[in-house]
Amino acid sequence: MQNSPFSSKQNDHDSGFYLEFLQTKEQIEKNRIPNVKTVLVVFPSKGLAFDAEGLRSMITREYPGSEVFFLSTSGKAWKSPKIPSKVDLAIDFTGEGQMQGWFFARKIKSRAKFVVGRNKGIFRKRIYDRIFDETKITISTDMLDRERLAQKEVLALAGIAVVPVAGTTVDRSKIIALDLPPLQKH
């Protein structure tokens, strides 16, 4: 059997990727909040990385039986029935430079037992329970990449894993053939 110099490197890379993903998943499970029955999600005014039904699916997978409500940054319900006055968990995706009222963060905190969000806005670090601080890491200048990373990290702080199922992988079509044993002649 002929060994390819690329196959072991590729397998190590794949193994490393999935081991890192498992470690991240374990950390996310530690972030899970107990007794969550209602979740309020505040959409950003630009650059939403996940659609509403995808978010609802991810949240109900991690918090079975929970009801999910959506709110815009202007404070209006979005494709949701009437939002209750008190919720168990609020997830605020609002980022820097996105329109929001002056005391919007305080209003969200008064409605929710537990709030997770981004550190972009006035006094959110003191108001919210868990904060993703974008200033401590290097983020792409592309708005959609930045929003995707930030929203994924906010969901992780809320105990919701984002499974990378749609990402593309390296083309291994030429390498796979090198790993196969040679054909036998009869």
Side-chain angles (χ1 to χ4, degrees):
M1 182 166 108
Q2 180 183 4
N3 285 331
S4 168
F6 301 108
S7 64
S8 63
K9 288 180 185 178
Q10 183 65 35
N11 289 339
D12 289 345
H13 175 69
D14 290 347
S15 298
F17 172 77
Y18 289 112
L19 283 174
E20 183 180 327
F21 176 71
L22 286 173
Q23 289 172 342
T24 305
K25 176 112 170 84
E26 289 171 0
Q27 181 62 37
I28 291 169
E29 287 174 359
K30 290 178 187 175
N31 288 338
R32 206 162 285 144
I33 299 149
N35 302 323
V36 172
K37 297 296 176 202
T38 52
V39 179
L40 176 64
V41 178
V42 179
F43 282 146
S45 59
K46 55 184 171 183
L48 184 62
F50 309 101
D51 65 307
E53 291 308 313
L55 276 171
R56 181 174 280 133
S57 174
M58 284 189 283
I59 293 168
T60 55
R61 181 186 66 227
E62 300 298 334
Y63 297 108
S66 63
E67 288 185 79
V68 182
F69 303 96
F70 299 108
L71 192 69
S72 68
T73 53
S74 63
K76 295 189 168 95
W78 191 83
K79 290 188 179 182
S80 294
K82 186 169 174 18
I83 300 172
S85 60
K86 295 288 183 186
V87 294
D88 297 322
L89 172 63
I91 302 169
D92 187 2
F93 288 132
T94 308
E96 183 176 16
Q98 298 178 11
M99 297 301 292
Q100 205 177 55
W102 281 93
F103 300 107
F104 189 77
R106 289 200 182 279
K107 288 178 187 176
I108 294 296
K109 179 61 179 170
S110 68
R111 288 180 93 165
K113 293 179 187 173
F114 201 87
V115 184
V116 178
R118 293 163 70 175
N119 191 23
K120 294 294 183 181
I122 300 174
F123 308 118
R124 287 190 192 175
K125 199 169 201 171
R126 286 191 251 157
I127 297 170
Y128 288 177
D129 299 302
R130 290 185 189 156
I131 288 286
F132 170 64
D133 193 359
E134 298 172 41
T135 59
K136 293 184 179 178
I137 63 168
T138 305
I139 299 180
S140 171
T141 56
D142 180 44
M143 186 200 53
L144 289 177
D145 285 342
R146 185 177 60 245
E147 288 297 316
R148 186 179 304 113
L149 175 67
Q151 292 171 25
K152 181 181 169 186
E153 292 297 325
V154 168
L155 287 172
L157 288 173
I160 301 165
V162 178
V163 181
V165 293
T168 58
T169 58
V170 177
D171 181 20
R172 296 184 57 203
S173 60
K174 294 184 177 33
I175 298 171
I176 290 173
L178 297 175
D179 291 340
L180 296 174
L183 295 173
Q184 294 179 356
K185 294 183 180 179
H186 287 77

